[in-house]
């Protein structure tokens, strides 16, 4: 700064440094760089805001990213791309008012297709959050169909329709639309994740795992690890699945539900003794977790230790709530061969 002056290019270099340093001070450092920008020429301001919003976004500072993008939108009105990005930020932030605001602006632009895809995504969001009934998903599909007719070589309506079909449990339809979208457009990471999940739910684990090859190593990290483990188990890559599952549980040693999940993975891999240990660890961390008690009892019976399983079931009765106890008792008694008792609890 002292050598070259406080130019806009200098500030962009400093924002890159601030982002690279990371830590708790990244917001404060980036905010500091905004000082005095309102007095600079429009071209300088546009260059500045077009850079800093992305640094805010990558640092998960969504409010600052949206505020910066709005500054850029004021300098470049009627910019379809910027307005669409504002919608995307609002969608990620679960901000329905922000989504509606961006859609209203998109409707005023010459393009009559982008807003339809955005509105379809918004309807999907409202269904997912309980704000709308699933019947509106048909309206969302119709909007995407209209966008496809207007722009048949555009990937976005196909991708959005794939998302909608996932919500409708139409996995075959989702797979077909995602495949078409990837043929004519880039494989967006979120869509690839859903595509892989749809294939997995259709009982096509080999294809589900291969679908992840479309992602870079960095992007692959955003795929639910549990989904990757399930895919690997289904295609017989047990050793790889167990290695990945162990990495996951090691990153969350104090999460009882992760231990239950890992125990289930071990049980699926026929290592029921190790699975039993994971269920016990989950109970140590959360004695009120009914899922862990039931898994422990079932696994002990599989391991041929019925008497000890009866003892663990008695312990469970001291920790579980009156709401959850009957279901655990019914299923446990059934596994233990006490069918009369199971029937009473059912």
């Amino acid at each position: 700064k002292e050598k070259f002056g406080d130019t806009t290019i200098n500030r962009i270099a400093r924002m890159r440094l601030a982002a690279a340093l990371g830590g708790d001070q990244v917001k404060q450092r980036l905010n500091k760089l905004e000082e005095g920008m309102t007095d600079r020429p429009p071209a300088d301001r546009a260059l500045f805001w077009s850079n800093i919003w992305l640094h805010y976004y990558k640092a998960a500072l969504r409010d600052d990213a949206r505020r910066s993008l709005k500054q850029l939108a004021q300098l470049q009105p009627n910019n379809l791309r910027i307005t669409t990005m504002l919608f995307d930020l609002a969608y990620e932030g679960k901000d329905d008012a922000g989504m509606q605001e961006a859609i209203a602006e998109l409707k005023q632009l010459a393009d009559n297709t982008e807003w339809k895809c955005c509105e379809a995504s918004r309807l999907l969001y409202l269904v997912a959050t309980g704000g709308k009934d699933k019947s509106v998903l048909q309206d969302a599909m119709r909007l995407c169909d209209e966008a496809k007719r207007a722009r048949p070589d555009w990937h976005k309506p196909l991708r959005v329709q794939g998302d909608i079909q996932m919500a409708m449990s139409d996995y075959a339809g989702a797979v077909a639309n995602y495949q078409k979208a990837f043929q004519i457009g880039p494989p967006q990471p979120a869509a690839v994740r859903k595509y892989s999940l749809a294939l997995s739910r259709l009982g096509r684990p080999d294809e589900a795992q291969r679908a992840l090859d479309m992602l870079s190593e960095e992007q692959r990290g955003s795929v639910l690890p549990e989904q990757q483990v399930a895919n690997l188990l289904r295609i017989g890559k047990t050793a790889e699945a167990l290695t990945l599952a162990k990495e996951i549980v090691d990153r969350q040693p104090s999460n009882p539900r992760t231990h239950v999940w890992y125990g289930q993975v071990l049980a699926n891999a026929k290592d029921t003794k190790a699975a039993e240990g994971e269920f016990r660890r989950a109970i140590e961390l959360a004695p009120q977790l009914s899922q862990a008690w039931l898994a422990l009892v079932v696994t002990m019976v599989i391991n041929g230790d019925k008497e000890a399983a009866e003892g663990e079931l008695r312990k469970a009765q001291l920790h579980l709530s009156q709401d959850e106890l009957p279901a655990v008792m019914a299923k446990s008694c059934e596994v233990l061969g006490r069918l009369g008792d199971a029937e009473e609890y059912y």
Side-chain angles (χ1 to χ4, degrees), residues 165-181:
Q165 287 164 315
M166 287 294 289
M168 298 167 70
S169 299
D170 178 9
Y171 303 123
V175 164
N177 271 314
Y178 287 136
Q179 288 175 338
K180 291 175 187 174

Side-chain angles (χ1 to χ4, degrees), residues 205-206 229-241:
D206 290 316
V229 171
N231 288 342
L232 290 168
L233 284 173
R234 289 192 183 101
I235 61 177
K237 294 187 176 182
T238 304
E240 289 182 40

Side-chain angles (χ1 to χ4, degrees), residues 80-106:
L80 181 69
R81 183 169 175 270
I82 294 173
T83 308
T84 302
M85 288 192 294
L86 281 168
F87 172 85
D88 291 339
L89 280 177
Y91 185 87
E92 286 186 26
K94 299 179 173 57
D95 176 10
D96 186 42
M99 284 186 258
Q100 292 187 65
E101 181 183 340
I103 289 169
E105 292 178 15
L106 286 169

Side-chain angles (χ1 to χ4, degrees), residues 240-301:
E240 289 182 40
L242 292 177
T243 298
L244 179 56
K246 184 67 167 62
E247 291 173 2
I248 295 167
V249 80
D250 285 347
R251 289 197 296 268
Q252 304 176 52
S254 300
N255 187 330
R257 295 187 184 279
T258 303
H259 284 281
V260 171
W261 168 79
Y262 184 41
Q264 291 168 338
V265 170
L266 289 166
N268 286 333
K270 310 302 182 187
D271 191 353
T272 51
K273 283 293 184 184
E276 184 179 321
E278 290 301 317
F279 299 140
R280 290 187 184 279
R281 179 58 182 148
I283 289 168
E284 289 175 10
L285 292 167
Q288 77 285 359
L289 189 60
S290 61
Q291 186 183 10
W293 284 105
L294 179 58
L296 176 61
V297 171
V298 171
T299 305
M300 291 179 75
V301 171

